Every structure is written in structure tokens, then in C-alpha cells.
Amino acid sequence: MQETRHDAAPGASHRPFEGRLPGAWPDARLATILAQRVKGMLQYFPNELRMDRAHTVMLAEQGIISDADAAAILGVLAEVETRGIDPASIDGSKSTLFWYVEAALIDGLGVDVGGKMHTGRSHNDILPTLSRMTARDRLIGIVDAVLTFRRALLRLAADHVDTVMPGYTALQHGQPWTFGHYLSGWDYAFARDFERLQGAWKRTNVSSLGGSALAGSSWPLDRDRTAALLGFDGIVRHSRDAGFGTKDYVAEILATLGIMMSNLSTLCGDLYLWSTYEFGMLEVADGFCGTSSIMPQKKNAWALDWTRGAAGNSIGYFASCLGALRGTSSTDAMAQEYPDWPLADACTEATDYLILVAGVLDSLKVNKSLMLERARSNWTTASNLADAIVRFGGFSFRSAHGIVGRVVREAGLAGIGPDQVDAGFLDKVAVAIAQRPAGLSDAQIREALDPLAFVATRVTAGSVNVDEVRAMLAEGGQQLDDDRDWLAQRRDRVSAAAQTLDAEVARRLEGVGP
């Protein structure tokens, strides 16, 4: 391998803008901003080196640079990887992370060799490639967290397919359902979130590398080769779209996270409410709660509360991204780069809170007896009584609706509950409203007002019937297995590409002597 020279401190002699901007560049005030910007780009460092290796291998394969030069460049890149980039050394003298890597190459190999790695590339395709690789890595983490969360959701739902509770609409008792039915509905919502993440992956995991500045390159770059070496599923075909195109894939990820976190917030809002003293149907495990600094009796469900706050952040990240992307024109480079910064926080928060709420579900205590008591006590089966009047009394549903509404009102005035309504009480109201008795027996009324019977007699697809809920949970479990396989395939593909690239680099390093 060609000997590596160290004629100066890393990067000290490398002034990439000197040809066009000679003299004292940059101004100290601009340098401060540039230093902050490059430090933010350190998140890209591992992917920067992977991309540089892939591009270098491709240049050699295409005969654009010699094998000896490629090996020399790859050798210094290995040194840079081992040494890393000290954030304290980033002084704002260069505008992006790439210049600091190239500076090490030029200081080690001279500009005639070290300066060859950039052949056929532009920042306009380098930065989107790094962005896509990093976004892809984050998507893998989020998808994994969604699967962890859905497993916890399905386990808890399976434990409570027959746990009858009041179902709420407008925060009032509506109809009986089961806690398992409630939870299984959320699995469908988060399965849709998973599908949106799959779509985002498809539009994110394509390579911009080789799009060059705007119009493509005169060098015979093999864009498909670099895409394969980096684990991409393909390329962004259009050179301008690849090199200077919109970051709409970032907006799509942030929009998807916003929708998913909104779903998670609504779920947590329900659990939070039902865990209060006034409801008392759930209890969040101590490890996911906190207490007050002054009120010692407090047990605050922090995990649920904080998740709801994080959902608000997700909406803000998406809005911030759109605000940047709407820039003055499609040639506004900085507006196109900015959306990557909120993406890091958005992905981290979504991953952390999905895993957090999965822990809440795994340890949640459910007061089954109180749930059933509440379902029996406040007319959750009123619509079923109306159906019984239609079925057995020959009334239209609208007439039956009016009769039952008056029954509930009169019972409240008389201070009696659903379990005390008999045929005489019902007939008296029916005669007053419809001029004829309802025609139901006491036994038919008792069955109509029984929440357990209500659940058992639902027959439609997707209903709270225990068998139907079990069938939906089985479908959800199968979908979860399929989704786990999808993630494993994507991970394996990216990992295999990394191994192929490492092997190619090693072969080239070993094939050229000192």
C-alpha cells in the first residue's frame, strides 16, 4: 500500500474554497455557525465512511481511479475511522463533515491521490445519501419498537377478551364492550402506522449517490453498484431529484410519526383517565409512576402523561419540516438540509415512548369486577332494550328509541336502576308514548339489559363477541409475525450489503503491497 504521509496537522492544509474565495475565509461569525453545523453532522460519521468506501470501490471498478489509489484512499479512511473526529477540532474552517474527511486524505496522501475520492460527486448527492442512510437506520429502530409495542398490546388484549366494561362515547356510558375488544382496535390502528412506515422505508431507502450536482456526471459512475454496496433497494432515478431534490421522504417519516404518536397519545389518554380514583378500573405499575414533592399521597402515571406531551412534539417536528421545505425555491440548498435535524429527535422520542408504553401494558393491573359493575349500573345496554322492543314488540326502532329514552328518564326520577325495571314499568312508559304496551316479559327485559348477554349476542364482523375478538387477535398475531419477517429481511439486506462492502475493501487493501 502507498505510504501515508503526515506533513501537517489533519486538515490544516486543506482549504477547499481557496480557488473561488481566496484570503481570510470564512468570516469568524460564519465560522461559528459552520462549526455548529458540522458538529451536528457527526451523527453521519459512520455512514459517511461507508459511503466514501463504496464510492471509492466503484471508482476503481469503473477504471476511473487506479486500484493502487483506491487502496491508498481506503487505508486512510480506515485510519480516520479508528481515530474519529474530535468535536473540539471542528473550527468552522470547512462547511460540512465531508471536507474534514477529505482533509485527512489529502494530508495523508497528497492532493493528487487524496483528492480523487470526490470524483463524480457533489455535496448535493452526498448529503441526501447520508440523510437517507441515517433515516433508514432510525426507521429500523422505530419499526422494531412498534413491533414490541404491538406484541404487548396483543398479549394484554388476549388476557381480557371477556373482561366486560362500559364503552364510552362523549365520555358517557354508551354500550358494553370488553377491554380486549378495546385494545384489539388499537392493534389495527398501529398496524396501519406500521404500513405507513413500510411505505416511508420504500421511498427513503433509495440512493442519491451519483446524481452529482444537478445534471448527472460525465464520469461512467455505476450508481446501481454503490446503491447495492450501501444496502439501498435502488436509486433515485432523476439526477436533479437525487442531487437537489426535495426531502419529501423526511416529511413523510415525520408525518407518519406524528400520526402514530397521536394514536399513542389517545390510547394513553384513555388509560390515564381510567386509572384515576374516580374511575378506578386500571392501575399503572409503580415503576411507571411518580409522586408529588409536596402531596405524599400522589401516584401520578408519568409514563402515560409524558407520552401525551411527546405526541405534541411530533406534530411540531412535522410542521417545522414543512416550514423548511416550503423555502423560496427548489434550489434553496439549506432549506433542503434542515429537516434532518428534527428527524433525529422525532425518531428517538417515538422509539423511546413506544417501548415505555409497552412496559405499561405488560404490567397494567385491571379491575375486572369493577369494570363489570360499572357496565351494569348506568344503562350501557339501553340500545339493546330498544332492539328488544323492535324484535318482540313490533315497534319501529325510532319509536323504541323514544320509549327507552323516557324509561331512562323516569327511572332516574324514581331513583331506580336498570336492574329494577320490569314489564309493568316499561309498558306504562310505552303506553304513554306510543299508546300501546311494549309487550316484553320480565325475562326478556333482564336479558336485554344484561351486559354479558349483550356481548354474547353481537353477531357482526368486528364486534365485541368473544369469538370475534379472538379471531381478530389471531389475525393481528399473524400480521405481527409477517411484519417481523419484513423487518428481519430489511435488516438482513442492509447487513449483507455491509459485509459485501467490508469484504471488497479488505480485498483491495490486501491486494496492493506496501
Side-chain angles (χ1 to χ4, degrees):
M1 184 187 301
Q2 181 172 338
E3 182 179 357
T4 300
R5 303 197 314 270
H6 295 284
D7 300 328
S13 62
H14 186 49
R15 300 186 64 207
F17 295 166
E18 187 173 21
R20 181 64 179 84
L21 302 172
W25 187 93
D27 180 273
R29 288 159 291 193
L30 178 59
T32 299
I33 301 299
L34 292 176
Q36 294 171 350
R37 181 170 177 264
V38 176
K39 287 176 182 178
M41 289 181 176
L42 288 176
Q43 61 177 310
Y44 294 153
F45 182 65
N47 285 331
E48 168 79 44
L49 295 181
R50 289 176 63 192
M51 179 190 62
D52 290 341
R53 290 189 181 105
H55 186 69
T56 301
V57 167
M58 181 276 297
L59 290 177
E61 289 176 345
Q62 293 295 101
I64 298 172
I65 65 174
S66 69
D67 289 337
D69 286 346
I73 291 169
L74 293 171
V76 175
L77 289 176
E79 295 178 11
V80 172
E81 182 176 38
T82 300
R83 185 171 63 242
I85 295 179
D86 182 0
S89 70
I90 297 174
D91 57 5
S93 63
K94 301 169 185 63
S95 60
T96 58
L97 180 64
F98 164 76
W99 294 119
Y100 286 85
V101 175
E102 188 179 70
L105 288 173
I106 292 174
D107 286 349
L109 300 171
V111 71
D112 289 340
V113 175
K116 290 182 178 180
M117 186 179 70
H118 197 53
T119 305
R121 293 198 305 182
S122 163
H123 272 118
N124 292 345
D125 62 329
I126 289 176
L127 291 177
T129 302
L130 291 176
S131 170
R132 289 175 179 278
M133 293 173 71
T134 306
R136 175 184 69 190
D137 295 342
R138 294 193 175 108
L139 277 173
I140 287 175
I142 293 167
V143 167
D144 198 12
V146 172
L147 294 176
T148 297
F149 170 78
R150 286 170 59 198
R151 280 195 294 271
L153 192 67
L154 289 171
R155 281 195 297 263
L156 186 60
D159 289 341
H160 294 283
V161 291
D162 55 359
T163 300
V164 176
M165 66 176 291
Y168 295 89
T169 60
L171 207 54
Q172 304 291 326
H173 285 198
Q175 292 180 323
W177 60 5
T178 66
F179 193 44
H181 183 263
Y182 167 79
L183 294 170
S184 69
W186 281 115
D187 180 60
Y188 282 92
F190 285 99
R192 291 192 296 273
D193 289 329
F194 190 93
E195 290 175 356
R196 281 185 278 266
L197 290 169
Q198 287 177 309
W201 174 277
K202 177 181 178 181
R203 286 173 284 279
T204 298
N205 195 39
V206 284
S207 176
S208 294
L209 200 59
S212 298
L214 179 65
S217 175
S218 63
W219 297 100
L221 307 176
D222 188 343
R223 296 188 62 200
D224 290 319
R225 174 60 168 163
T226 52
L229 288 173
L230 293 174
F232 286 111
D233 296 328
I235 64 172
V236 182
R237 174 75 174 178
H238 193 280
S239 62
R240 182 262 172 202
D241 194 29
F244 222 155
T246 179
K247 289 279 188 72
D248 56 358
Y249 62 92
V250 176
E252 181 178 10
I253 295 171
L254 290 173
T256 299
L257 295 184
I259 295 170
M260 182 179 68
M261 289 297 288
S262 179
N263 284 334
L264 192 63
S265 176
T266 304
L267 168 63
C268 288
D270 288 344
L271 302 182
Y272 188 86
L273 185 66
W274 297 340
S275 68
T276 60
Y277 175 82
E278 285 73 16
F279 281 79
M281 295 189 297
L282 303 175
E283 183 181 357
V284 178
D286 291 356
F288 297 98
C289 297
T291 189
S292 166
S293 63
I294 188 173
M295 297 171 283
Q297 82 281 7
K298 297 291 293 298
K299 180 181 177 181
N300 301 326
W302 280 358
L304 300 177
D305 199 16
W306 293 355
T307 300
R308 297 168 71 195
N313 288 344
S314 290
I315 296 171
Y317 295 137
F318 176 52
S320 175
C321 175
L322 290 185
L325 291 179
R326 58 160 294 281
T328 56
S329 73
S330 63
T331 62
D332 190 346
M334 294 303 103
Q336 297 295 332
E337 290 178 24
Y338 174 76
D340 287 354
W341 309 136
L343 183 63
D345 289 340
C347 292
T348 298
E349 285 186 5
T351 300
D352 290 347
Y353 281 100
L354 283 165
I355 294 172
L356 178 68
V357 179
V360 171
L361 297 178
D362 281 335
S363 57
L364 193 66
K365 297 179 182 179
V366 180
N367 192 334
K368 299 172 67 172
S369 61
L370 181 60
M371 283 182 166
L372 179 57
E373 178 186 331
R374 296 283 172 80
R376 283 173 168 160
S377 65
N378 193 32
W379 298 100
T380 60
T381 51
S383 64
N384 204 39
L385 179 59
D387 283 341
I389 294 172
V390 173
R391 184 173 289 113
F392 302 115
F395 288 80
S396 71
F397 181 79
R398 187 53 53 214
S399 295
H401 184 280
I403 292 169
V404 175
R406 180 65 63 85
V407 165
V408 173
R409 178 179 174 81
E410 295 296 332
L413 293 173
I416 65 175
D419 59 335
Q420 295 172 286
V421 172
D422 58 15
F425 190 96
L426 178 60
D427 285 342
K428 180 179 178 181
V429 173
V431 169
I433 290 184
Q435 289 74 53
R436 65 187 178 93
L440 272 65
S441 68
D442 286 345
Q444 288 171 326
I445 294 172
R446 294 277 68 75
E447 182 176 8
L449 292 175
D450 181 4
L452 296 176
F454 180 100
V455 168
T457 55
R458 302 305 97 179
V459 296
T460 51
S463 69
V464 300
N465 183 287
V466 170
D467 291 338
E468 185 64 18
V469 174
R470 288 198 176 105
M472 288 187 288
L473 292 177
E475 292 172 4
Q478 181 59 59
Q479 185 62 56
L480 185 63
D481 289 341
D482 293 344
D483 291 343
R484 292 172 66 182
D485 290 343
W486 181 91
L487 175 60
Q489 291 169 8
R490 270 66 193 171
R491 273 183 164 150
D492 289 347
R493 187 176 301 174
V494 173
S495 177
Q499 293 174 11
T500 299
L501 177 58
D502 289 345
E504 185 61 36
V505 169
R507 184 183 71 79
R508 290 185 171 278
L509 289 173
E510 292 169 359
V512 179

